[in-house]
Amino acid sequence: MKSFVILSSLALFASAQAATLGNMLKRSGVLIYDCAIPGTAALTFDDGPNDYQKIIGDTLAQYNAKGTFFVNGNTYHCIYDPKYAESVRYVFDQGHQIASHTWSHPDLTKLSDAEIHDEMCKIEDAILAITGAKVAYMRPPFAAYNDNVISVAKCRGQDVVIANFDAQDWNGLTPDQTNVLYDNFVATNPSTVLALQHETYNGTATEVLPYAIELLQSHGYKLVTVAECMGNEPYQWVQAPVSDLSSYKCT
Ligand SMILES: *[C@@H]1O[C@H](CO)[C@@H](O)[C@H](O)[C@H]1NC(C)=O
Ligand SMILES: [Zn+2]
């Protein structure tokens, strides 16, 4: 009887430990507009993988900076296309964060819970296969969210990232116009910068990015991933990536 009590309390202890460790890395549907750590700046790039992703990764690396890519599965390109899978893996290996922007970029507020799960599940599986990382952060397309979107993200162990600065590259602004927006925002001395831009524009990659990095670094901001600007881990866990992706298809 006595040994049974000891054994079962050991088992309880072991399972409590495992749950605690798991929950530490699982995010819980927190809605994020600002970074948590003062003096950090998180540059984020949506809608890839696309042709400028590696240039963005290299430019960030050149300035000893990190960024975050909110990628899709099949919007402009299929993420399993070897060229784009390799690009995602390249920026992941540089230490930039990979996060979810859903599979096909729908307005999640118009979908059922099952459809929201499906949109999240498919891109999480792709990122897991390509990088080995289980994402802990997502950004809803069009920054459109409601209580369902947040509760599905929470259930899937993710926080929901919006931004406190919109570079408006999606809105037809020229690189020079976006740079003025950056100047004006930095002039307000924000405690943190969480910048939304898109990796799909050459101007964002080759003109705005070097400008923004130099501006932010000269004002003392540390350029980090979204997870690091929140003081958290970027992934729920990281395992070995899939070595042969040839059986993975978008359709
Ligand atoms: C991208 O922009 C850079 C700098 O303006 C330019 O040199 C390059 O040719 C552009 N690339 C494409 C594919 O348009
Ligand atoms: Zn988007």
Side-chain angles (χ1 to χ4, degrees):
M1 182 62 193
K2 196 175 172 199
S3 63
F4 170 78
V5 170
I6 291 167
L7 275 178
S8 59
S9 51
L10 272 177
L12 270 178
F13 176 72
S15 67
Q17 284 288 92
T20 305
L21 285 173
N23 287 336
M24 266 167 37
L25 300 180
K26 209 173 156 163
R27 305 306 312 160
S28 56
V30 174
L31 186 58
I32 297 168
Y33 278 88
D34 299 282
C35 294
I37 315 258
T40 58
L43 300 183
T44 70
F45 303 90
D46 288 10
D47 296 1
N50 214 311
D51 296 341
Y52 309 112
Q53 190 173 53
K54 288 169 111 174
I55 297 171
I56 292 170
D58 287 343
T59 304
L60 288 163
Q62 189 190 320
Y63 287 93
N64 202 21
K66 295 282 191 286
T68 303
F69 295 90
F70 287 89
V71 298
N72 296 122
N74 198 10
T75 301
Y76 292 99
H77 301 284
C78 171
I79 196 169
Y80 293 124
D81 177 328
K83 175 182 172 185
Y84 296 106
E86 195 260 332
S87 169
V88 171
R89 186 57 201 264
Y90 180 88
V91 294
F92 173 80
D93 286 343
Q94 286 179 320
H96 306 303
Q97 184 180 350
I98 310 297
S100 160
H101 195 41
T102 75
W103 180 256
S104 66
H105 209 279
D107 179 344
L108 295 175
T109 65
K110 301 207 157 67
L111 302 187
S112 68
D113 284 7
E115 289 167 331
I116 298 170
H117 271 288
D118 189 53
E119 275 288 333
M120 294 195 191
C121 180
K122 281 161 76 180
I123 184 60
E124 290 158 30
D125 283 354
I127 295 168
L128 188 64
I130 292 165
T131 67
K134 180 70 171 177
V135 300
Y137 291 84
M138 68 84 56
R139 174 178 280 145
F142 315 107
Y145 62 85
N146 58 18
D147 288 349
N148 284 350
V149 172
I150 291 181
S151 78
V152 173
K154 177 178 182 180
C155 168
R156 306 187 68 82
Q158 295 163 37
D159 284 345
V160 176
V161 182
I162 311 297
N164 65 10
F165 173 75
D166 179 354
Q168 294 199 44
D169 48 0
W170 59 271
N171 200 17
L173 263 61
T174 65
D176 285 345
Q177 289 170 326
T178 291
N179 291 349
V180 171
L181 286 188
Y182 261 110
D183 285 338
N184 294 343
F185 185 61
V186 168
T188 68
N189 287 316
S191 170
T192 69
V193 177
L194 178 37
L196 165 70
Q197 42 219 334
H198 296 81
E199 65 163 88
T200 50
Y201 300 105
N202 188 25
T204 294
T206 60
E207 296 181 58
V208 174
L209 180 58
Y211 184 85
I213 295 173
E214 289 184 14
L215 176 73
L216 293 165
Q217 288 186 335
S218 73
H219 282 76
Y221 292 96
K222 188 175 180 216
L223 271 72
V224 297
T225 64
V226 167
E228 198 178 345
C229 93
M230 296 306 295
N232 293 324
E233 293 298 319
Y235 306 113
Q236 298 185 46
W237 73 82
V238 182
Q239 63 193 38
V242 171
S243 53
D244 178 5
L245 290 167
S246 58
S247 65
Y248 288 71
K249 305 280 182 223
C250 281
T251 47

